[in-house]
Amino acid sequence: MIYFVGAGSGAVDLITVRGRSLIERADVIVYAGSLVNPEHLTFAKPECDIHDSAKLSLEQVMEIMLPAAKAGKLVVRLHTGDPSIYGAIREQMDILDAEGVEYEVCPGVSSFCGAAAALKAEYTLPNVSQSVILTRMEGRTPVPERESIQSFAAHGATMVLFLSAGMLGELSRRLIEGGYTAETPAAIVYKATWPDEKIVRCTVGTLAERAREAGITKTALITVGGFLGTEYDRSKLYDPTFTHEFRTGTQA
Ligand code: SAH
């Protein structure tokens, strides 16, 4: 059996109970060394066979995992954050399907959740935004034209940008072209939930400059939108006059 496990955004105690227990039981671990906290590996059995996938191709990862899984060993493929977001797990699962090897996915705390916690922010504020757009600038991986930054910016919704910290001048330009003002609040969250986490609060117009000042070029998320501002409406759910399934409201 192969388990794709989300290691969480950084802090070693931000993994699920299930994820930790799989690490403790694993015979083989293949971890994404570029962003997974190596402290997770201290919970593995002393005899566990551990590999860093940062230096490996998909084929080489499979050469390690397939024979082990077929021999009845417990294999953990440890991914950063949650494996469903830019995790490159689909291509691995398709090979496992073709090989008839069983697998499961154990979710993790994605860095976009870690970043919100670091910011002590709520992405979905009433009368500000009720949607969160998770996206990226294109790099070596292209982004479909219909998913341009400009087209998403036109919604004025909360945006969280992965894999884009090295392209902030261009990102700013596209966000503004799409409809955000240069004054729209933004925040750069570097290494959310790691001990060396850094938060830079700025605006859409000052993203590049503020990142340069802070020396941030990678391992950061860019968050954009009115959720970082001061204005919002109270929730209906906790409004004393609002009646719902679990509570009868008082007269207004
Ligand atoms: N599956 C991961 C994302 C992998 S893509 C997740 O769910 O978080 C890698 C990108 O994620 C990085 O370039 C960076 O933009 C972001 N990232 C990952 N960990 C981060 C962290 N702790 N703080 C800020 N950004 C992070």
Side-chain angles (χ1 to χ4, degrees):
M1 187 72 153
I2 299 187
Y3 292 91
F4 294 94
V5 176
S9 50
V12 74
D13 54 352
L14 270 184
I15 189 170
T16 62
V17 173
R18 184 183 300 179
R20 170 64 56 75
S21 139
L22 287 166
I23 288 176
E24 286 167 350
R25 289 161 46 212
D27 301 305
V28 177
I29 297 177
V30 182
Y31 71 104
S34 53
L35 277 174
V36 167
N37 189 336
E39 248 186 280
H40 284 298
L41 305 171
T42 62
F43 294 89
K45 297 187 288 196
E47 67 276 21
C48 180
D49 182 23
I50 298 176
H51 301 263
D52 177 358
S53 64
K55 308 173 198 88
L56 305 176
S57 65
L58 170 62
E59 286 70 19
Q60 290 170 323
V61 167
M62 285 300 153
E63 277 167 30
I64 296 165
M65 299 204 303
L66 281 174
K70 286 180 181 173
K73 294 184 175 164
L74 195 160
V75 179
V76 165
R77 178 71 173 104
L78 196 56
H79 283 273
T80 179
D82 183 81
S84 71
I85 310 282
Y86 307 113
I89 58 165
R90 174 63 188 270
E91 59 195 26
Q92 301 177 67
M93 296 189 295
D94 282 349
I95 294 174
L96 300 181
D97 284 336
E99 294 280 338
V101 171
E102 277 194 275
Y103 56 86
E104 274 181 21
V105 181
C106 173
V109 176
S110 176
S111 58
F112 82 89
C113 300
L119 290 164
K120 300 190 172 81
E122 178 176 349
Y123 288 136
T124 53
L125 289 175
N127 214 14
V128 175
S129 175
Q130 291 289 289
S131 311
V132 185
I133 297 171
L134 306 180
T135 188
R136 61 171 295 174
M137 292 276 283
E138 73 266 10
R140 271 174 293 182
T141 304
V143 172
E145 178 57 38
R146 62 182 182 278
E147 296 177 20
S148 69
I149 300 290
Q150 295 91 320
S151 68
F152 284 139
H155 294 277
T158 299
M159 282 181 79
V160 180
L161 293 120
F162 289 75
L163 297 157
S164 305
M167 300 169 252
L168 295 184
E170 183 59 19
L171 175 65
S172 259
R173 199 187 62 70
R174 293 188 192 182
L175 288 168
I176 293 167
E177 192 185 316
Y180 285 113
T181 64
E183 292 71 41
T184 303
I188 304 164
V189 185
Y190 170 78
K191 293 191 84 175
T193 77
W194 288 78
D196 49 345
E197 166 188 293
K198 236 187 263 180
I199 294 175
V200 178
R201 292 179 191 266
C202 58
T203 63
V204 167
T206 58
L207 276 169
E209 183 190 330
R210 298 298 308 280
R212 198 176 322 113
E213 285 165 8
I216 299 172
T217 56
K218 59 174 194 172
T219 326
L221 286 175
I222 314 305
T223 66
V224 176
F227 82 95
L228 290 162
T230 51
E231 301 294 316
Y232 64 96
D233 286 352
R234 267 186 62 159
S235 70
K236 292 275 183 246
L237 190 61
Y238 296 104
D239 183 328
T241 65
F242 191 72
T243 296
H244 59 75
E245 193 183 348
F246 301 104
R247 184 166 58 83
T248 306
T250 56
Q251 291 299 315

